Amino acid sequence: AMDAFSILLVGLLAPSTAVLPHAPGGASRPSMIRARSARMAMNAAPTDDSSQRMAVGALAAVGAAETAVITADKLWDSNFLDGLCSAAGGGCTDLLRSQWAAVGDVPLSALGFVAYVAAAALALAPLVARRDADRPDSDVRGAERVPMTSDGLLVLTSAMAGFSACLMGLLVYLREVCPLCILSAALSATIFLLTWGLPSSRSRTEDAVLAGCGAAVSAAAAAILFLANGAGLGGGSQFRYSGFGDDGMPPAVESHSTPRALRIGQQLAERDATMFGAWWCSHCAGQKEALGQEVMEKYHFYVECSSDGVDSEADACREAGVKGYPTWRINGMLFPGEKDLGEMEELLKAIDQAPTSKQP
């Protein structure tokens, strides 16, 4: 009824523009009519999608925050990701610091951050446009672009969901657990479903074609990336420790053990210590360098946890409850994170002073 009224109103007022081409305030009468009719059409929409778009924007903000943290950890090589993965309840460092998590020197998390920000912008832009269209001096140009943002949002979110589905398939293939990856996939899928439920001026068939194109392109890109990295064609990444190859072998320890490191090594051996790590883990390599060749060769602390590493004991690592690399098990208790010699001495002292009880 409101649409018919808008058309009738425009028909009645249109002839008057030949006599009064401009309003007293100087605004063009045709422009005012277009603005008024556009606002009426918007207000006459049978479904208000504001809450859905706000939900998409909020979920995309969560995804952007998650990927920003992961990207910062990769760029500045901090230990924050280890704590975040442990808090999430799993060993997500398996994937997030491996060769699978980068396109050349660009972390996949950085691309995810851009995608989440773009999704939030496309979801919220129509709300801003509608607010501006309600202003008396609006020419509704922003509102006229709303269909373009809706098309872009559908293609983008379907691409995000498609890529996330491929990443979940990779986790199954590698037999790894990555709670942060699963969280991102759940966010992408939910964002896509919310976008699919938005009101559309197209038929569902046309929407399905747009969504299918986005998902197909992202799936093809993911397949090429994963196959290239899996075949050792990815060229490595700057986030790896110097000396890493693509053969599943950790880099050789180059430093020699100092007398202090030898004493610490003996104390670790007396307490049945084990160092859980991954061949591609820079912090693991740094931990070995701190102890030196002689300690690592004499006591054989290291256990390979990455499923694609040489002599992998991934099942044993999962059974031990390892959630990040490196993780020390001393007297049956787990201590995650790389430690220098001073920190190791303090840890050993604290273990000796603590009650003799093992973790469950």
Side-chain angles (χ1 to χ4, degrees), residues 140-345:
V140 299
R141 290 178 182 175
E144 291 170 355
R145 298 189 181 97
V146 170
M148 296 177 60
T149 64
S150 298
D151 293 347
L153 182 62
L154 182 60
V155 173
L156 174 61
T157 57
S158 63
M160 293 167 63
F163 193 91
S164 295
C166 293
L167 182 57
M168 293 301 97
L170 178 64
L171 287 178
V172 174
Y173 171 75
L174 295 176
R175 295 187 300 172
E176 299 285 358
V177 178
C178 178
L180 292 183
C181 303
I182 296 172
L183 171 61
S184 184
L187 287 173
S188 298
T190 305
I191 289 172
F192 168 69
L193 291 175
L194 287 171
T195 301
W196 179 260
L198 291 173
S200 174
S201 59
R202 300 173 301 270
S203 68
R204 274 310 184 193
T205 301
E206 293 172 325
D207 285 340
V209 170
L210 280 177
C213 289
V217 170
S218 68
I224 294 172
L225 170 66
F226 295 155
L227 287 174
N229 281 344
L233 302 177
S237 169
Q238 67 175 349
F239 307 116
R240 288 182 175 173
Y241 189 83
S242 176
F244 278 80
D246 292 310
D247 54 1
M249 285 288 293
V253 181
E254 299 179 355
S255 67
H256 291 282
S257 301
T258 64
R260 184 184 183 189
L262 289 169
R263 288 195 301 270
I264 292 174
Q266 182 177 354
Q267 293 173 14
L268 288 169
E270 292 171 352
R271 291 158 179 79
D272 194 25
T274 300
M275 174 188 162
F276 297 101
W279 64 273
W280 40 258
C281 168
S282 62
H283 294 291
C284 301
Q287 183 68 86
K288 294 177 185 178
E289 292 292 338
L291 292 172
Q293 288 181 9
E294 290 76 11
V295 168
M296 297 306 299
E297 291 176 0
K298 180 178 181 179
Y299 297 112
H300 305 287
F301 294 129
Y302 181 71
V303 172
E304 178 61 59
C305 291
S306 182
S307 60
D308 59 350
V310 175
D311 298 326
S312 173
E313 298 183 41
D315 291 338
C317 298
R318 280 191 286 269
E319 291 174 1
V322 175
K323 298 179 180 179
Y325 308 136
T327 292
W328 284 95
R329 183 174 61 191
I330 307 173
N331 280 353
M333 296 180 287
L334 299 181
F335 303 93
E338 178 184 355
K339 306 181 189 308
D340 59 30
L341 296 183
E343 292 171 330
M344 190 64 75
E345 288 173 334

